[in-house]
Structures are given as C-alpha cells and as structure tokens.
Amino acid sequence: MSIIFYDIPSTLPGIAWTPNTWKIRYCLNYKGIPYKTEWVEYPDIEEHCKKHGIAPTSKWRDGSPRYTFPAIHDPSTGIYVAESLLIARYLENQYPDTPKVFPGPHDLSALHAAFSKALDVEIAPATQFIISAIFPVLNPRSEAHFRRTREKTFGKKLEDIAPQGEDRIAQWAQFRAGLGNVNKWFEMNGGGPFLMCDVLSWSDLVLAGETIWYRILWGEDSEEWKDIKSWDGGRWGKILETLKEYETVM
Amino acid sequence: MSIIFYDIPSTLPGIAWTPNTWKIRYCLNYKGIPYKTEWVEYPDIEEHCKKHGIAPTSKWRDGSPRYTFPAIHDPSTGIYVAESLLIARYLENQYPDTPKVFPGPHDLSALHAAFSKALDVEIAPATQFIISAIFPVLNPRSEAHFRRTREKTFGKKLEDIAPQGEDRIAQWAQFRAGLGNVNKWFEMNGGGPFLMCDVLSWSDLVLAGETIWYRILWGEDSEEWKDIKSWDGGRWGKILETLKEYETVM
C-alpha cells in the first residue's frame, strides 16, 4: 500500500513548489518508499487535518493554531502525521530497510531540529523576495487564502512586500551573507558534499528543499537563481545536482 | 606541558563568568587535559591576539575585525587558536585518548555549528537582561571597554538596556519561549539528558556554558535563576548538576 503524501498544488508544470513538502518528497524518493501525492488547496488544509486528527504544528502570530503540510497517511499502519522531522523519523523507524536519513549510532534528532531553526534564520531575508513569485502561481482559492494570511502577517499587500531600491540591494546581500554562514558550517567538516561530510542525512534534504524552492519559483534562467548558484563555490546548485534523481513528483 | 587557556576576569569569587570561555573550560575539564588559565582584560584581547597571530573570529557592526576569547595556546605544538568550536576540534584531534566531545563515526561539526547559531537566536532575549549583571563585576579597565563597545552596539547607556514594565514581562516571556523551543529539540530524541540522547557531545557544553552564565551572574538565589530552573521540567538546572564535576576553574 502506498503512502499518501499531502502537498499544496500550484499552476506550475511540476505542480510541487513549497519547500517544506519538498523535504519529505526528497525523503520518500531517497528511501524509495511507494507514495502518491494528494493535492490539497491552502484553505482546505485545516479541515483536512482536523478530519484526520492531525495536530497543528505551530501557531499564527495571534496565537491561534496553525495546521501545515507536509503531512502523510500510511494506510499500512493507519497513522496520520504532520511536521517534516516527525514524518522523517516515522519513515525511518517504520521502514528500517530503506536508505537511512539518520545515519550513525546516536539519535541526532535534536541537532537536526536545531539545524532547521538555524537555517530558517539565515535564509529568512529570502522570504520577502520570493513571495512575489509564489502568489501568481497558486490556484485562485489558495491565492486568496495565502493573500489573506500573509498580508496579515506582514502588515502590507503581497505586491508591496519585496524591498525596493537600496533596501533591496541590502536585503539581498543579507540573504547572501546568511547562505555564506551556512557554507561556513560545511567548511567546519572539510567542505561536504553533505552536512555530515561524506554521508547524506536529514538536514541535507532540509537544505535541498529550501534550495529547490528558489530554483522552481524563480526559474532555472532567472537572475536570482543564477546569482545564488554563483555563491559559495557553487554549493547551492551542486546540492540539487547531487539529489537530482530524487526530484520526481509522484 | 599544560595548555594555556585565555579568559576574561571578573571581581566575582570564582573569577570566571563569560559563557563562551566556559564552553572550553567545560571541555578541558571533561577531557582532563592539564591547563592553566591566563586572565586577560577586555582592552588587551586584541593586542594579545595580534601578538600571537590569532585571527579575529567575527566583526563588529561597523565591519572592523573583532578578536574574542576563548583562545588557547598549546606549548606542546606551539599552536594558538581562537573560537570555541575550532578549539574543541583541535583538542579532540590532538588528544585522541581523552573523553570524546564529538562521539560517533561521522563528522558532526556542521550540525554543532548550526546548533550554536540556533541556540544564540533562541536565548537572544536574555542578553538585554543580563548586561546589567555583567558590567558591575568587571575590573575597571574591562568595564570601560565593555561600556564603550556595548553602548555603541545597543545605542543606549548600559544602565538603560534592560527592558522595563510591560516590555520587561514580554521580553522575559520571549526568553522563556526560546528556551522552551530548545527543550522541544531535546524532546525529539526522547528527552535527553544530552542532546544526542544518552551520550554527551560538544553542544551540551555549549548549552551548559550559556546556562552557567545565568547562574553565576544572577546568583544561585536570584529570582531570575530560580525562575529559569523552574522551566521545562527543571532541565536547565539539571544540565549544570550533570556537569558539576567539570566546573573547576584552574
């Protein structure tokens, strides 16, 4: 029985676009676990989760519960689970004969969780730029939901979130500096190609999920992606090359 | 030959007080490597580092190079090195028969570096509170240097940095929430006692270095430390209990 993998659709040719669900798509593909994607529009996520007893993963700024994807359903065990690290751990434990994303004798979940937090902080300046590439590719119901929630969070219209002029240059430099800090972490272990040096682990898939987001939304030939690929000795493009065979959308 | 460990003095009974050097003191004590502390006042750190060819570890906000402790000198190899993760790696490699702070077959340096970044972000709200406990215990030359550099960074007098009234309550709650997030990372691996579950690693010493800072500067019986100890099932006090035998200042 295939796993059901819940993701948010777009009008792009490959449909898949959002970084957090890409982390689990990479994980499922890397492990070679059979799955089928079920596409759920943004305004239907909360009801979908409540119906299946999937807990909220975070809170909105006003404190109300926030339901997010990725989530999966495994018909062979009956389980529903959301939040990417929890899903990855479930898959690792439930399918022990598949390639490991948590290699080694010790439980590194806490360090991987901290990695995700640190990465989020370093790449945070990218969000204000990429938002203008997100909402035009959503289906109308998702776009309306995205617009309502994000305009509340940012306190401005989606069209006005991207910085302009000198601020644009400064914020883009800040994003580059953030990825530069991530690159320095790699250099602590001799340069990679993986965060744990010569062995792939969960945090590499987290990083790839964020990176493929840039490539998909801005596009292969965009100024943004070409710029990012030129940074840090080409590390960010190379990560996607290394994981290219796990990009399939099923 | 003992390692020379460079630290910044205070007028407190135990002298040692600053979180970043505590990480290396814990490391030296845990590994049982003989060392002697050499106390260097803040305004002398830059000249000390330049004299011994120790590179700056970061930058001030205006872009000028920033020289920081911890740093060590190992007379048996002639090496000088600064920055806590680099020092820990040097000690692990140079003294392979001592207890490991990087256990396991894989190089986890990148994940440990990311942990430090994530921890810094989560506990950042504490800084504005603890500054008022730092400058009164520095020796006069260090206090003057600390005052000049930090007042430039914060854009206000040291005495005015601690938040007041409702802002104080909100910022303290933010600090508690940040440590709560760190606690959730522990819970991902079954609750600890260590970040890698049942085995101590470098990031535990990083966390202990920050935690002992609170206890030393605010004091065992302070409202602040008693409050912190009551959070997250007592995790933050227990970390120091677990590492109590490695608190010696030599």
Side-chain angles (χ1 to χ4, degrees):
Chain A
M1 278 188 292
S2 292
I3 287 196
I4 313 296
F5 169 52
Y6 302 108
D7 197 356
I8 304 158
S10 76
T11 60
L12 290 167
I15 310 179
W17 65 278
T18 181
N20 289 320
T21 62
W22 262 106
K23 297 165 191 171
I24 290 303
R25 178 175 292 101
Y26 271 125
C27 186
L28 287 162
N29 288 337
Y30 180 68
K31 284 180 167 294
I33 298 172
Y35 71 97
K36 282 190 308 193
T37 309
E38 192 174 307
W39 302 98
V40 179
E41 297 286 348
Y42 264 123
D44 302 327
I45 292 176
E46 180 166 339
E47 195 190 321
H48 173 88
C49 289
K50 285 179 171 168
K51 186 172 125 192
H52 296 298
I54 303 173
T57 56
S58 57
K59 287 177 181 173
W60 291 99
R61 283 201 187 172
D62 66 6
S64 59
R66 183 173 180 173
Y67 297 84
T68 63
F69 284 170
I72 63 159
H73 170 50
D74 186 346
S76 70
T77 61
I79 209 166
Y80 288 85
V81 56
E83 205 280 316
S84 56
L85 179 52
L86 290 179
I87 297 170
R89 282 172 53 98
Y90 170 79
L91 295 173
E92 186 97 342
N93 292 332
Q94 191 62 29
Y95 299 95
D97 298 333
T98 59
K100 298 238 170 297
V101 296
F102 299 103
H106 302 299
D107 189 330
L108 303 180
S109 303
L111 290 178
H112 285 293
F115 174 84
S116 282
K117 170 71 188 189
L119 180 66
D120 278 354
V121 171
E122 296 292 5
I123 65 177
T127 306
Q128 61 197 319
F129 289 95
I130 208 163
I131 274 190
S132 62
I134 297 174
F135 69 86
V137 303
L138 297 177
N139 290 312
R141 290 183 62 238
S142 277
E143 196 216 318
H145 180 272
F146 186 83
R147 180 174 291 279
R148 185 173 57 75
T149 52
R150 271 53 172 186
E151 291 188 348
K152 195 171 166 191
T153 299
F154 282 88
K156 33 178 119 164
K157 283 187 66 72
L158 287 183
E159 287 78 358
D160 299 334
I161 289 170
Q164 302 298 326
E166 281 188 20
D167 187 33
R168 185 174 185 86
I169 293 166
Q171 292 292 327
W172 190 254
Q174 196 70 32
F175 170 42
R176 179 178 184 160
L179 275 181
N181 289 336
V182 178
N183 187 52
K184 283 185 199 135
W185 306 339
F186 275 98
E187 287 174 351
M188 291 300 293
N189 77 9
F194 299 116
L195 278 154
M196 286 167 61
C197 206
D198 50 359
V199 59
L200 180 143
S201 73
W202 169 243
S203 288
D204 294 299
L205 304 184
V206 169
L207 190 54
E210 299 291 345
T211 311
I212 201 170
W213 189 42
Y214 306 141
R215 196 194 72 196
I216 289 175
L217 283 181
W218 278 316
E220 281 277 11
D221 300 321
S222 63
E223 285 309 306
E224 289 89 344
W225 177 241
K226 281 195 273 184
D227 201 19
I228 294 166
K229 275 203 299 183
S230 76
W231 301 342
D232 303 310
R235 183 181 298 286
W236 317 112
K238 281 182 206 156
I239 284 171
L240 298 191
E241 285 305 310
T242 305
L243 297 173
K244 192 146 192 67
E245 63 183 299
Y246 310 114
E247 271 186 23
T248 321
V249 177
M250 289 198 268
Chain B
M1 281 189 288
S2 293
I3 286 195
I4 313 296
F5 168 53
Y6 301 108
D7 198 355
I8 304 157
S10 75
T11 61
L12 290 167
I15 309 179
W17 66 278
T18 181
N20 289 320
T21 63
W22 262 105
K23 296 165 193 173
I24 291 301
R25 178 175 291 99
Y26 271 125
C27 186
L28 287 162
N29 288 337
Y30 180 68
K31 285 181 167 293
I33 298 172
Y35 71 97
K36 283 189 308 192
T37 308
E38 192 174 307
W39 302 99
V40 179
E41 298 287 349
Y42 264 122
D44 302 327
I45 292 177
E46 181 167 339
E47 195 189 321
H48 173 88
C49 289
K50 285 179 173 169
K51 185 172 126 191
H52 296 298
I54 304 173
T57 56
S58 56
K59 289 177 180 173
W60 292 99
R61 284 202 185 173
D62 66 7
S64 59
R66 184 173 180 173
Y67 296 85
T68 63
F69 283 173
I72 62 159
H73 170 50
D74 187 346
S76 70
T77 60
I79 209 165
Y80 287 85
V81 55
E83 205 281 315
S84 57
L85 180 51
L86 289 179
I87 297 171
R89 282 172 54 99
Y90 170 80
L91 295 173
E92 186 96 341
N93 292 332
Q94 190 63 29
Y95 299 95
D97 298 334
T98 60
K100 298 238 169 299
V101 296
F102 299 103
H106 302 299
D107 189 331
L108 303 180
S109 303
L111 290 177
H112 284 293
F115 174 84
S116 282
K117 170 70 187 190
L119 180 66
D120 278 354
V121 170
E122 297 293 4
I123 65 178
T127 307
Q128 60 198 320
F129 289 96
I130 209 162
I131 274 190
S132 61
I134 297 173
F135 69 86
V137 303
L138 297 177
N139 291 312
R141 289 182 63 238
S142 275
E143 196 216 318
H145 179 272
F146 186 83
R147 180 175 291 280
R148 184 174 57 76
T149 52
R150 271 54 173 185
E151 291 188 347
K152 194 170 166 192
T153 299
F154 282 89
K156 29 177 123 167
K157 282 186 66 72
L158 287 182
E159 287 78 357
D160 298 334
I161 289 170
Q164 302 298 326
E166 282 189 20
D167 188 34
R168 185 173 185 87
I169 293 165
Q171 292 292 327
W172 189 254
Q174 197 69 31
F175 170 42
R176 179 178 185 161
L179 275 180
N181 289 337
V182 179
N183 187 53
K184 283 186 201 138
W185 305 339
F186 274 98
E187 288 175 351
M188 290 301 293
N189 76 7
F194 299 116
L195 277 156
M196 284 167 60
C197 207
D198 50 358
V199 60
L200 179 142
S201 72
W202 169 244
S203 288
D204 294 299
L205 304 184
V206 169
L207 190 54
E210 300 290 346
T211 312
I212 202 170
W213 189 43
Y214 306 140
R215 196 194 73 196
I216 289 174
L217 283 181
W218 278 316
E220 282 276 11
D221 300 323
S222 64
E223 286 309 305
E224 288 90 343
W225 177 241
K226 282 195 273 185
D227 201 18
I228 293 166
K229 276 204 298 185
S230 76
W231 300 342
D232 302 310
R235 181 179 302 284
W236 317 113
K238 280 182 207 156
I239 284 171
L240 298 190
E241 285 305 310
T242 305
L243 297 173
K244 194 150 191 63
E245 63 183 298
Y246 310 114
E247 268 185 26
T248 321
V249 176
M250 289 199 270

